[in-house]
Amino acid sequence: MSFAKITGTGVFIPEKRLTNEDLEKLVETSDDWIKARTGISERRLLDEKRNNSDMCLHACQEALKNSNTSPDDIDGIIVATVTPDYITPSVACLLQEKLKTRKIFAFDLSAGCSGFIYCLSVAKAMIENNQAKKLLVVGSEHLSSIVDYKDRGTCILFGDGAGAVVIESSKEPGILSVCLGASGKEAELLYIPGGGSKDPTGYRFLKMEGKEVFKEAVKVIQSNSLEAINAANIKTNEIDLFIPHQANMRIIEAARERLDLPLEKCFVNIDKYGNTSSASVLLALHEAVKESKIKKGDNILFSVFGAGFAWGSAVVKW
Ligand code: UT7
C-alpha cells in the first residue's frame, strides 16, 4: 500500500501591503474595528504586472526545491482557485507551461476557500491508487481582482497570495483523512453574482452576508474537524497543530475552544495576510514549517469553511 505524503511546501507572498490605515482612506472603517472584529492588520496585493499563474509558479518552485523534486518528476498539477487568470483554460495548464514539466495532466478545482482541502482528497486518492507518484497541489488567489474596495463588509478581509505542496507516494502514512461537505442552499450568502454565464456583465465582485457565514463557519469547522479526527483514527488530544482557515480571528478562536485545543496548538497568521481563500492554509503551513512548529510524526489538522457553502477538514501526519 502506498501512502500520500507532503514532502515540500512553498509560497508566494506579494510585496505590496494594504494596511488597515490604507483602508480607512477607502471606506468608513477603523484600524481598531478591523483588528477587534477580525484580527487582521494588513493584507498583500499582487502588482499589476503579475497574474495568479505567476504566483503559482513561484510557490511551486519553492515547494519543488524544498522537497528536492525536479519538475520532470511531477505527474500532475492541481490548482485550487476562484480567481483564475482566464475563465478557460485553467491556471494549472498555464502553470504546466511555466514550469516546463512533461505534458502531464493539469486542472483547476473550484471549491471556494476549501479548494486546497478538496485537492488533498483528490491527490490522496490518485496516489494511493497508483495513478500518480508525485503531484503539485496549489492554492492561489488574486482576490483583489474580485474585491469591491467600496464595500467595507468584504474589502477589509481579503488578500492575495499563493501556496504549494509536493505530495508524493510514500511507505509512511501521510494524509490520514480528508472529510468534505457542501450545501448549495446557502450559495448566495457568499458569491459573485456577475461575470459567469448567468449574468456575464453583472456585478463581478464578492458579495457576502458576513454574519450568516460566520455563524455557520464556527459550527461546521467544529463538527467537520471531529469527523476528520475520527476518520484518522486518533483522538483530539493527539493533534499537535491545528491550522484553520484564516478567515476571522473570532471564528478561529471559537472553533479552537469548541474543539478544546490549547492556544499553543493553533497556528494563526491572519494578522499579516487576511483571508487568502484557498491559499490560506498553505501560507500558514509553510510558515509553521519554517518556524519549526512542525516536527516529523506530528499530526496536523486543517479545517476550512467557505463559499458554496463548501467545507473540508484533513488530518496529515508529517
Ligand atoms: O472565507 C470565507 C468565509 N468568510 C468568513 O468566514 C467571513 C465571516 N464573517 C466575518 O468575518 C464577519 O461577519 C465580518 C468581519 C464580515 C463582520 O463582522 P461582524 O462582527 O459580523 O459585524 P456585523 O456585520 O455584525 O456588523 C457590526 C457593526 C454594524 O454596525 P451597527 O449596525 O452595529 O451599528 C456594521 O455596520 O459593525 C459595522 N461594520 C463595520 N464598522 C466598521 C461592518 N463592517 C464594518 C467595518 N468597519 N469594516
Side-chain angles (χ1 to χ4, degrees):
M1 158 99 190
S2 46
F3 298 101
K5 203 164 179 77
I6 297 176
T7 57
T9 66
V11 293
F12 178 79
I13 293 166
E15 272 168 36
K16 190 174 170 194
R17 291 160 201 263
L18 180 71
T19 64
N20 292 349
E21 288 76 14
D22 295 330
L23 285 165
E24 284 175 358
K25 293 174 199 140
L26 299 176
V27 288
E28 203 184 321
T29 191
S30 69
D31 177 43
D32 287 347
W33 192 95
I34 300 173
K35 277 192 188 136
R37 306 302 289 176
T38 71
I40 303 169
S41 300
E42 58 181 35
R43 344 68 211 116
R44 300 299 180 101
L45 298 187
L46 187 61
D47 63 82
E48 277 142 29
K49 292 197 196 81
R50 281 194 258 219
N51 297 307
N52 188 331
S53 57
D54 300 313
M55 292 199 287
C56 292
L57 174 65
H58 285 268
C60 286
Q61 285 170 331
E62 190 177 19
L64 287 165
K65 191 165 160 242
N66 285 334
S67 73
N68 284 318
T69 304
S70 151
D72 298 339
D73 296 331
I74 294 295
D75 298 319
I77 302 170
I78 313 175
V79 178
T81 190
V82 295
T83 48
D85 296 20
Y86 307 113
I87 289 178
T88 194
S90 67
V91 175
C93 283
L94 304 178
L95 188 55
Q96 182 277 324
E97 165 59 17
K98 285 180 199 262
L99 282 163
K100 306 284 180 207
T101 63
R102 291 175 288 119
K103 291 183 179 168
I104 52 178
F105 71 82
F107 64 93
D108 289 0
L109 189 154
S110 172
C113 296
S114 306
F116 169 61
I117 309 294
Y118 272 68
C119 288
L120 275 184
S121 173
V122 177
K124 175 173 157 63
M126 292 191 99
I127 287 175
E128 288 179 355
N129 291 313
N130 288 317
Q131 283 176 275
K133 290 249 175 286
K134 290 185 196 236
L135 296 173
L136 267 169
V137 170
V138 190
S140 181
E141 299 292 4
H142 187 182
L143 292 178
S144 58
S145 70
I146 55 159
V147 164
D148 181 351
Y149 286 95
K150 292 191 198 83
D151 175 11
R152 69 176 183 174
T154 53
C155 74
I156 56 153
L157 294 171
F158 298 102
D160 300 334
V165 284
V166 174
I167 302 181
E168 59 186 275
S169 172
S170 165
K171 290 198 175 71
E172 295 171 11
I175 303 169
L176 301 183
S177 66
V178 188
C179 293
L180 308 173
S183 171
K185 194 174 158 209
E186 294 89 358
E188 293 187 2
L189 294 181
L190 176 48
Y191 79 129
I192 303 175
S197 59
K198 184 175 176 184
D199 185 5
T201 54
Y203 184 77
R204 60 167 196 91
F205 299 108
L206 265 176
K207 278 183 84 171
M208 179 172 70
E209 298 295 331
K211 236 185 172 51
E212 300 310 313
V213 180
F214 186 110
K215 281 190 274 183
E216 205 54 26
V218 173
K219 273 191 277 174
V220 172
I221 288 175
Q222 179 196 19
S223 58
N224 187 226
S225 292
L226 291 175
E227 227 185 298
I229 291 168
N230 284 337
N233 225 353
I234 61 169
K235 300 266 178 294
T236 303
N237 63 12
E238 292 174 83
I239 294 294
D240 298 292
L241 194 67
F242 174 39
I243 302 187
H245 177 38
Q246 309 287 309
N248 183 314
M249 191 57 214
R250 291 184 296 133
I251 296 178
I252 295 174
E253 261 308 286
R256 182 190 66 75
E257 275 173 21
R258 283 172 176 227
L259 286 166
D260 204 17
L261 285 164
L263 197 58
E264 62 277 12
K265 283 192 175 183
C266 181
F267 193 88
V268 176
N269 64 1
I270 190 172
D271 50 318
K272 294 187 284 187
Y273 309 121
N275 180 347
T276 56
S277 187
S278 63
S280 115
V281 158
L282 283 158
L283 296 188
L285 173 65
H286 181 76
E287 212 166 289
V289 170
K290 290 281 141 208
E291 291 173 10
S292 304
K293 295 221 160 96
I294 299 176
K295 55 183 190 314
K296 193 169 164 49
D298 278 357
N299 294 315
I300 307 162
L301 169 66
F302 302 131
S303 189
V304 183
F305 178 90
F309 290 154
W311 55 88
S313 297
V315 176
V316 166
K317 187 168 280 298
W318 202 251

